[in-house]
Amino acid sequence: KRRSFLYVREVADTGDILIDISHESLIRQWDKLNKWVDEESETAKFYKRLAEACRQYNLEVKEKDLLAGSELDLALEWRDKYKPTAGWANRYKAGFEESMTYLDESEAERIRLQAIDQKRTRTQKNLTQGVMALMVLIILSGIIITLITNHNTKTRDLHNEARALANIDPTMALQLANSAVKRSNSPLCFYESQKSDFIKKLETIYKEHSFYKILDTLNPKSIAYSPDMTISLSKIDSAE
């Protein structure tokens, strides 16, 4: 059939329609047609490069690896945009099915590598978080150990000082011993500070004597203790 400057005919056994242009001037003035021609040419060139890459990949000694990076990006964009068919592709170069398989394998390899990279990233992230948590735990443990050490050292020092003052200043010794015992009741304390027998006996004497309240008001240095731990008073208000 003849329609103006175009001849339309069917391509045998393909179902395709072939349009022939009868005049060159029409080609020069038909901007959209020129755009189609350029697009077809670029698409065909891209397919032939893909088919050649596939051929090199399938050689016994591979001359080409799977597509990756920007090369794979362009190939996937080309496939999704133009949706090539075997009938179209084989007009330019045979091996369309193999080329599409090659492209699919390249995409699958990218997905596999991305999964590995994501897993590695998660592992590194978890490891980093674990190390940070461990560092925080170590720091907190150090602070707690320091507090416990200082508390126990102070408790032990009070206890030792109380024992040292037992024969010199028993009143102060009793106060220090009681402070040590109170500190030893703290959850931080592992040092069991026990009142010495001397301090215990001193408390007993204080409680048994009717004048223990008076003793509490006296200068501790005016209180004397005999070897058997009995108490005597000396020079209280200048009196024997």
Side-chain angles (χ1 to χ4, degrees):
K1 297 178 182 180
R2 181 173 180 178
R3 298 179 182 177
S4 187
F5 294 100
L6 303 178
Y7 290 96
V8 181
R9 59 188 175 85
E10 294 183 359
V11 180
D13 301 327
T14 65
D16 292 338
I17 301 297
L18 181 63
I19 301 175
D20 288 330
I21 300 175
S22 61
H23 204 288
E24 293 182 0
S25 62
L26 181 59
I27 298 176
R28 290 194 298 269
Q29 297 177 23
W30 194 351
D31 293 337
K32 193 165 187 177
L33 176 61
N34 290 325
K35 181 180 179 181
W36 287 344
V37 170
D38 292 340
E39 188 176 87
E40 176 72 9
S41 176
E42 290 301 318
T43 304
K45 286 179 181 178
F46 193 94
Y47 165 68
K48 286 187 283 187
R49 289 197 299 270
L50 176 62
E52 178 60 21
C54 175
R55 185 192 68 81
Q56 294 176 357
Y57 175 75
N58 288 323
L59 292 174
E60 185 175 351
V61 179
K62 296 183 185 300
E63 297 179 1
K64 179 74 175 178
D65 292 327
L66 291 171
L67 299 179
S70 60
E71 190 176 24
L72 177 57
D73 291 335
L74 292 173
L76 294 175
E77 182 181 355
W78 169 82
R79 181 194 65 184
D80 296 339
K81 180 178 180 181
Y82 295 107
K83 297 179 173 53
T85 63
W88 170 86
N90 289 330
R91 292 205 305 253
Y92 297 101
K93 190 177 181 66
F96 174 76
E97 298 296 338
E98 293 83 353
S99 298
M100 292 300 100
T101 299
Y102 172 63
L103 183 53
D104 291 340
E105 289 178 359
S106 298
E107 184 179 21
E109 179 65 9
R110 165 183 279 185
I111 294 173
R112 186 185 72 84
L113 293 176
Q114 286 177 341
I116 293 174
D117 186 61
Q118 290 174 356
K119 183 177 181 181
R120 183 185 301 112
T121 300
R122 288 195 300 269
T123 301
Q124 291 176 345
K125 182 179 179 180
N126 293 337
L127 181 60
T128 300
Q129 292 176 342
V131 170
M132 292 180 64
L134 180 60
M135 291 178 63
V136 171
L137 181 61
I138 291 174
I139 292 173
L140 291 177
S141 298
I143 294 174
I144 293 173
I145 290 173
T146 300
L147 291 174
I148 291 174
T149 301
N150 291 341
H151 186 89
N152 282 270
T153 299
K154 179 64 176 177
T155 303
R156 185 177 60 251
D157 290 346
L158 287 173
H159 182 78
N160 292 337
E161 188 175 356
R163 293 180 65 86
L165 290 174
N167 295 321
I168 302 173
D169 191 344
T171 303
M172 179 60 69
L174 180 60
Q175 293 175 357
L176 294 176
N178 285 331
S179 296
V181 171
K182 289 179 181 179
R183 292 178 65 88
S184 68
N185 294 327
S186 169
L188 296 177
C189 190
F190 297 109
Y191 177 78
E192 295 183 0
S193 177
Q194 302 295 333
K195 298 179 182 179
S196 67
D197 292 339
F198 177 82
I199 300 302
K200 289 180 180 179
K201 190 166 185 177
L202 178 61
E203 286 184 326
T204 301
I205 294 172
Y206 265 40
K207 292 177 181 180
E208 288 178 351
H209 281 265
S210 60
F211 53 82
Y212 73 92
K213 291 183 179 180
I214 299 176
L215 295 179
D216 288 337
T217 65
L218 299 178
N219 183 342
K221 294 184 178 179
S222 67
I223 303 175
Y225 299 86
S226 63
D228 61 355
M229 302 304 177
T230 58
I231 297 177
S232 63
L233 303 180
S234 63
K235 297 181 179 180
I236 300 178
D237 293 334
S238 302
E240 291 286 338

